[in-house]
Amino acid sequence: MNRSNCPHCGRPRLFQNVNQSRTVQAELEQRYQAAKSQAVSRGCEQQVQDFETACENSVAVFCCHLERLFKTFTDGSELYGSFSQLEKLRLRYEKSIPEWEKLRKQVEIELYGIDPSSDDLHYAALSLDGEGLKNYGNCTILLRESMISHRATCFEGNSAQLFSKTHSIDTGWLSAWDLRHKLCVAKLSLKIDASVTPPDFVRMLLTNGKTSSDDNYVEVHILGPMTARTFEYITWDSTNQDQTAKIYWKAVKEKLQNQGVKVIEK
């Protein structure tokens, strides 16, 4: 039986994704220590340490189309829809690989044992500069760490895409939010050499590809509801936007500002 509290002590139940990440912490630690040792042998220990330090302060961001925000915050609903909810409503604008929703659900079950009928998992990406994956839309949302740190986990890359290739999940690919720097080192340390400098870290952690399938990033999974108050700020790229988009933006901007969200137009 699913419970929100422990039946014995009454404490709130841990978030399922975070609890699972703790059970596989040893596998991540093994990858991390191997990566650190390799950095020493390659003569780039300091560069890898600098990268790790940067990733300790990484943020969770996601991109979406303005129409998606407009539909969410102007129809009287405060809840921001998850991937699965929007898929069911067909409120998507990017092209996906075949059976994308099915793959997402399979990964959620494989990783966390999440009920396949659940629509509670949100997806984002780690970023060092607050920029996100532009293939998903021209609005970039940075999430408040205080609102997600207790319920977020991080994964090696695009979980559905990796699962479609390997048909399995490596438990060393998963970390809790507070261990995300170790996952970043385990994944990317081999790309770092003595010539790499801190400005290079930004594009190393998150790279926009020609299509969403070409993007390279560390995926963030946030379990539970999300509202405008989960947002730290939102940036909208107004380049080449028509009058309808500007009307949408004005409405979204007013709604979000009323919720204390910083709004930036480029």
Side-chain angles (χ1 to χ4, degrees):
M1 178 184 295
N2 290 327
R3 296 177 181 269
S4 59
N5 299 82
C6 171
H8 308 293
C9 68
R11 290 190 178 94
R13 178 177 62 85
L14 291 175
F15 286 91
Q16 199 165 344
N17 58 328
V18 177
N19 189 49
Q20 179 61 20
S21 74
R22 299 300 186 193
T23 68
V24 297
Q25 191 169 318
E27 287 87 339
L28 172 63
E29 184 67 21
Q30 185 175 22
R31 289 187 68 205
Y32 167 74
Q33 293 297 341
K36 297 280 278 189
S37 296
Q38 291 167 358
V40 173
S41 65
R42 299 198 323 274
C44 56
E45 181 180 10
Q46 186 58 56
Q47 287 77 11
V48 170
Q49 181 57 56
D50 290 344
F51 176 67
E52 180 176 352
T53 300
C55 290
E56 286 181 327
N57 297 306
S58 57
V59 294
V61 301
F62 70 88
C63 291
C64 68
H65 288 274
L66 178 60
E67 292 91 337
R68 178 170 167 179
L69 292 176
F70 180 79
K71 289 177 183 294
T72 297
F73 297 117
T74 61
D75 67 355
S77 172
E78 286 196 1
L79 289 175
Y80 184 82
S82 68
F83 175 90
S84 294
Q85 290 165 340
L86 291 161
E87 190 72 30
K88 289 175 182 177
L89 293 172
R90 298 194 178 277
L91 298 181
R92 301 185 67 232
Y93 298 88
E94 70 277 5
K95 293 181 180 179
S96 64
I97 62 176
E99 299 184 329
W100 191 263
E101 183 184 7
K102 181 180 178 181
L103 282 170
R104 284 284 183 205
K105 283 300 181 185
Q106 287 177 327
V107 172
E108 291 173 11
I109 295 169
E110 186 80 15
L111 266 176
Y112 306 125
I114 291 177
D115 186 331
S117 65
S118 170
D119 294 324
D120 290 338
L121 202 65
H122 295 266
Y123 292 85
L126 285 184
S127 173
L128 293 178
D129 64 353
E131 295 296 322
L133 300 167
K134 302 302 184 183
N135 287 307
Y136 291 91
N138 56 5
C139 292
T140 303
I141 294 95
L142 187 149
L143 300 173
R144 294 182 191 272
E145 186 170 7
S146 62
M147 295 287 190
I148 67 163
S149 60
H150 58 292
R151 57 188 178 118
T153 47
C154 298
F155 190 73
E156 187 86 355
N158 184 319
S159 53
Q161 193 172 51
L162 285 172
F163 186 74
S164 71
K165 292 178 180 178
T166 63
H167 303 291
S168 64
I169 295 294
D170 188 322
T171 53
W173 290 349
L174 179 66
S175 82
W177 176 257
D178 60 346
L179 296 177
R180 63 193 184 281
H181 57 286
K182 292 190 174 185
L183 178 62
C184 294
V185 168
K187 176 184 178 179
L188 296 165
S189 64
L190 288 178
K191 294 187 176 182
I192 300 173
D193 58 32
S195 68
V196 171
T197 61
D200 299 321
F201 298 158
V202 173
R203 297 283 76 81
M204 189 174 293
L205 182 61
L206 186 151
T207 304
N208 281 280
K210 291 183 178 180
T211 69
S212 60
S213 296
D214 302 316
D215 293 337
N216 187 18
Y217 59 99
V218 172
E219 194 169 75
V220 183
H221 302 153
I222 303 107
L223 188 59
M226 187 180 293
T227 72
R229 299 194 183 198
T230 316
F231 301 170
E232 183 75 38
Y233 70 72
I234 175 173
T235 302
W236 180 57
D237 185 353
S238 61
T239 305
N240 298 322
Q241 297 298 319
D242 60 21
Q243 190 60 35
T244 299
K246 292 177 181 179
I247 293 172
Y248 281 0
W249 172 246
K250 183 178 180 180
V252 168
K253 181 178 178 179
E254 180 180 351
K255 289 284 186 179
L256 294 179
Q257 286 180 325
N258 288 340
Q259 295 289 334
V261 181
K262 183 178 179 181
V263 179
I264 303 168
E265 181 178 340
K266 289 185 176 180

